[in-house]
Amino acid sequence: AVVSTQSTGAEQEMKDRKCRKEPTAQAIKMRLTNPLPVEHYYTHFLSLVKDLLDGNIDPGAYEDKLREMFGVNSFVAFTLDKLITHIVRQSHTLVTDAGCNQLKNLYTTYRSGGGAGGSLATQPSRSSQEQNYLKDAEQTIVDENLYKIYFFKQGSKLTIELIDGENNEETETEACSDVRE
């Protein structure tokens, strides 16, 4: 067996840090050196996100601390709090909105009868049930868009189709590849 001798990202950062010059902001005492060792960045990052979401730290301080740790590469982490906030809002809408609850119940009803998706091999046999499901969904939410979502396990592909409610044709398709289970 071949054993890899590559160092982890933290070990590489520690080696590289010794070779770097002191940043100008630290040299003129505008910024203190980060006392946190690189090995603890991940756990500190998670605690920062938790503090931000709990309201114990303001977004500006959150971004500043991430900039101290990760430098210019911290921009990815800036969006994490926004992503979590949007996920929480959408989840809240799914739970509290009457239309969402009606669609969930409709899905549960049709799923137990085989009309809400399944294997591609069995699609022709359930086509009429799926059309009935689509009609019922259109009647449930009249003024909003409907989407048909396909997940292909083989090839890990996700396809989302916008359904045109007037003539039941799929009008727009957006495919997202490399979806992991």
Side-chain angles (χ1 to χ4, degrees):
V2 178
V3 177
S4 175
T5 58
Q6 292 181 332
S7 60
T8 64
E11 291 170 350
Q12 187 65 37
E13 172 64 22
M14 289 172 44
K15 289 178 187 175
D16 290 345
R17 184 179 280 182
K18 292 176 185 174
C19 299
R20 285 191 211 126
K21 292 182 180 179
E22 183 179 25
T24 306
Q26 288 176 354
I28 61 175
K29 306 288 188 229
M30 288 185 69
R31 183 178 76 171
L32 301 173
T33 58
N34 191 359
L36 189 64
V38 175
E39 306 86 43
H40 300 286
Y41 277 12
Y42 180 72
T43 53
H44 187 65
F45 166 67
L46 291 179
S47 69
L48 284 173
V49 171
K50 183 183 179 302
D51 287 346
L52 179 68
L53 295 174
D54 289 343
N56 298 333
I57 187 173
D58 67 283
Y62 167 77
E63 290 182 10
D64 289 342
K65 289 183 180 188
L66 289 177
R67 235 181 255 111
E68 287 176 12
M69 291 191 314
F70 301 114
V72 295
N73 297 322
S74 61
F75 69 91
V76 175
F78 293 166
T79 59
L80 191 61
D81 67 311
K82 293 168 184 65
L83 175 67
I84 292 171
T85 302
H86 287 297
I87 289 171
V88 168
R89 285 183 190 156
Q90 289 297 320
S91 299
H92 182 264
T93 300
L94 287 172
V95 171
T96 59
D97 185 58
C100 290
N101 284 323
Q102 290 173 340
L103 285 175
K104 181 187 68 78
N105 293 336
L106 189 65
Y107 172 79
T108 304
T109 301
Y110 275 94
R111 182 69 183 171
S112 64
S119 173
L120 276 178
T122 61
Q123 200 279 331
S125 65
R126 64 175 190 276
S127 179
S128 63
Q129 290 176 315
E130 287 183 357
Q131 287 299 320
N132 291 336
Y133 176 43
L134 178 60
K135 288 177 187 174
D136 287 349
E138 287 174 342
Q139 291 172 357
T140 301
I141 54 169
V142 179
D143 295 332
E144 296 189 34
N145 291 330
L146 287 176
Y147 297 91
K148 190 181 282 190
I149 301 171
Y150 295 99
F151 179 71
F152 302 95
K153 289 183 181 179
Q154 189 173 12
S156 297
K157 185 176 180 181
L158 177 72
T159 304
I160 302 172
E161 296 178 358
L162 173 62
I163 307 297
D164 183 12
E166 295 173 6
N167 56 11
N168 291 339
E169 290 181 17
E170 290 103 12
T171 58
E172 185 177 328
T173 301
E174 179 180 341
C176 303
S177 299
D178 299 324
V179 176
R180 305 287 182 240
E181 291 183 13

